[in-house]
CSV table of all heavy atoms in Angstrom, one decimal:
chain,number,residue,atom,x,y,z
A,47,HIS,N,-13.4,17.7,-1.7
A,47,HIS,CA,-12.4,18.7,-2.0
A,47,HIS,C,-11.2,18.0,-2.5
A,47,HIS,O,-10.9,16.8,-2.2
A,47,HIS,CB,-12.1,19.5,-0.8
A,47,HIS,CG,-13.2,20.6,-0.4
A,47,HIS,ND1,-13.2,21.8,-0.8
A,47,HIS,CD2,-14.0,20.5,0.6
A,47,HIS,CE1,-14.1,22.4,-0.3
A,47,HIS,NE2,-14.6,21.7,0.7
A,48,TYR,N,-10.4,18.8,-3.2
A,48,TYR,CA,-9.0,18.4,-3.5
A,48,TYR,C,-8.0,19.5,-3.5
A,48,TYR,O,-8.4,20.6,-3.3
A,48,TYR,CB,-9.1,17.7,-4.9
A,48,TYR,CG,-9.4,18.7,-6.0
A,48,TYR,CD1,-8.4,19.0,-6.9
A,48,TYR,CD2,-10.7,18.9,-6.3
A,48,TYR,CE1,-8.7,19.8,-8.0
A,48,TYR,CE2,-11.0,19.9,-7.4
A,48,TYR,CZ,-10.0,20.2,-8.2
A,48,TYR,OH,-10.4,21.1,-9.2
A,49,SER,N,-6.7,19.0,-3.5
A,49,SER,CA,-5.7,20.0,-3.3
A,49,SER,C,-4.6,19.6,-4.4
A,49,SER,O,-4.3,18.4,-4.7
A,49,SER,CB,-5.0,19.8,-1.9
A,49,SER,OG,-3.8,20.6,-1.9
A,50,TYR,N,-4.1,20.7,-5.0
A,50,TYR,CA,-3.1,20.6,-6.0
A,50,TYR,C,-1.7,21.2,-5.6
A,50,TYR,O,-0.9,21.5,-6.4
A,50,TYR,CB,-3.5,21.0,-7.5
A,50,TYR,CG,-4.2,22.4,-7.3
A,50,TYR,CD1,-3.6,23.6,-7.5
A,50,TYR,CD2,-5.5,22.5,-7.1
A,50,TYR,CE1,-4.2,24.8,-7.5
A,50,TYR,CE2,-6.2,23.7,-7.0
A,50,TYR,CZ,-5.5,24.9,-7.2
A,50,TYR,OH,-6.2,26.1,-7.1
A,51,GLY,N,-1.6,21.3,-4.3
A,51,GLY,CA,-0.4,21.8,-3.7
A,51,GLY,C,-0.6,22.4,-2.4
A,51,GLY,O,-1.7,22.5,-2.0
A,52,VAL,N,0.4,22.7,-1.7
A,52,VAL,CA,0.3,23.4,-0.3
A,52,VAL,C,-0.5,24.7,-0.4
A,52,VAL,O,-0.2,25.5,-1.3
A,52,VAL,CB,1.6,23.6,0.2
A,52,VAL,CG1,1.5,24.4,1.6
A,52,VAL,CG2,2.4,22.3,0.5
A,53,LYS,N,-1.6,24.7,0.3
A,53,LYS,CA,-2.4,25.9,0.4
A,53,LYS,C,-3.3,26.1,-0.9
A,53,LYS,O,-3.9,27.1,-1.0
A,53,LYS,CB,-1.6,27.1,0.7
A,53,LYS,CG,-1.0,27.2,2.0
A,53,LYS,CD,-0.5,28.7,2.3
A,53,LYS,CE,-0.1,28.8,3.9
A,53,LYS,NZ,1.0,28.1,4.4
A,54,ASP,N,-3.2,25.2,-1.8
A,54,ASP,CA,-4.0,25.3,-3.0
A,54,ASP,C,-5.0,24.1,-3.0
A,54,ASP,O,-4.7,22.9,-3.0
A,54,ASP,CB,-3.1,25.1,-4.3
A,54,ASP,CG,-2.2,26.2,-4.5
A,54,ASP,OD1,-2.6,27.4,-4.2
A,54,ASP,OD2,-1.0,26.0,-5.0
A,55,THR,N,-6.3,24.6,-2.8
A,55,THR,CA,-7.3,23.6,-2.7
A,55,THR,C,-8.6,24.0,-3.6
A,55,THR,O,-8.6,25.3,-3.9
A,55,THR,CB,-7.9,23.4,-1.3
A,55,THR,OG1,-8.5,24.7,-0.9
A,55,THR,CG2,-6.7,23.0,-0.4
A,56,ASP,N,-9.4,23.1,-3.9
A,56,ASP,CA,-10.6,23.5,-4.8
A,56,ASP,C,-11.8,22.6,-4.4
A,56,ASP,O,-11.5,21.5,-3.8
A,56,ASP,CB,-10.4,23.3,-6.2
A,56,ASP,CG,-11.2,24.3,-7.0
A,56,ASP,OD1,-12.2,24.9,-6.5
A,56,ASP,OD2,-10.9,24.4,-8.2
A,57,LYS,N,-13.0,23.0,-4.7
A,57,LYS,CA,-14.2,22.3,-4.3
A,57,LYS,C,-14.4,21.1,-5.3
A,57,LYS,O,-14.2,21.2,-6.5
A,57,LYS,CB,-15.4,23.2,-4.2
A,57,LYS,CG,-15.3,24.3,-3.2
A,57,LYS,CD,-16.5,25.2,-3.3
A,57,LYS,CE,-16.4,26.3,-2.2
A,57,LYS,NZ,-17.6,27.1,-2.2
A,66,VAL,N,-11.4,22.4,4.0
A,66,VAL,CA,-10.1,21.6,4.0
A,66,VAL,C,-9.0,22.6,4.2
A,66,VAL,O,-9.1,23.8,4.0
A,66,VAL,CB,-9.8,20.9,2.7
A,66,VAL,CG1,-10.8,19.6,2.5
A,66,VAL,CG2,-10.0,21.7,1.5
A,67,SER,N,-7.9,22.0,4.6
A,67,SER,CA,-6.7,22.8,4.8
A,67,SER,C,-5.5,21.9,4.4
A,67,SER,O,-5.5,20.7,4.7
A,67,SER,CB,-6.6,23.4,6.1
A,67,SER,OG,-6.4,22.5,7.1
A,68,ARG,N,-4.5,22.5,3.8
A,68,ARG,CA,-3.2,21.8,3.4
A,68,ARG,C,-2.1,22.7,3.7
A,68,ARG,O,-1.7,23.5,2.9
A,68,ARG,CB,-3.3,21.3,2.0
A,68,ARG,CG,-2.1,20.4,1.8
A,68,ARG,CD,-2.3,19.5,0.6
A,68,ARG,NE,-1.2,18.7,0.3
A,68,ARG,CZ,-0.9,18.3,-0.9
A,68,ARG,NH1,-1.7,18.7,-1.9
A,68,ARG,NH2,0.1,17.5,-1.1
A,74,PHE,N,-3.5,16.6,4.7
A,74,PHE,CA,-4.7,17.2,4.2
A,74,PHE,C,-5.8,16.9,5.2
A,74,PHE,O,-6.2,15.8,5.4
A,74,PHE,CB,-4.9,16.4,2.8
A,74,PHE,CG,-6.1,17.2,2.0
A,74,PHE,CD1,-6.1,18.6,1.9
A,74,PHE,CD2,-6.7,16.5,1.0
A,74,PHE,CE1,-7.0,19.2,1.1
A,74,PHE,CE2,-7.7,17.1,0.1
A,74,PHE,CZ,-7.7,18.5,0.2
Side-chain angles (χ1 to χ4, degrees):
Chain A
H47 282 280
Y48 63 106
S49 170
Y50 43 95
V52 173
K53 293 191 166 68
D54 291 324
T55 64
D56 205 350
K57 296 179 180 180
V66 289
S67 67
R68 190 159 177 212
F74 193 31

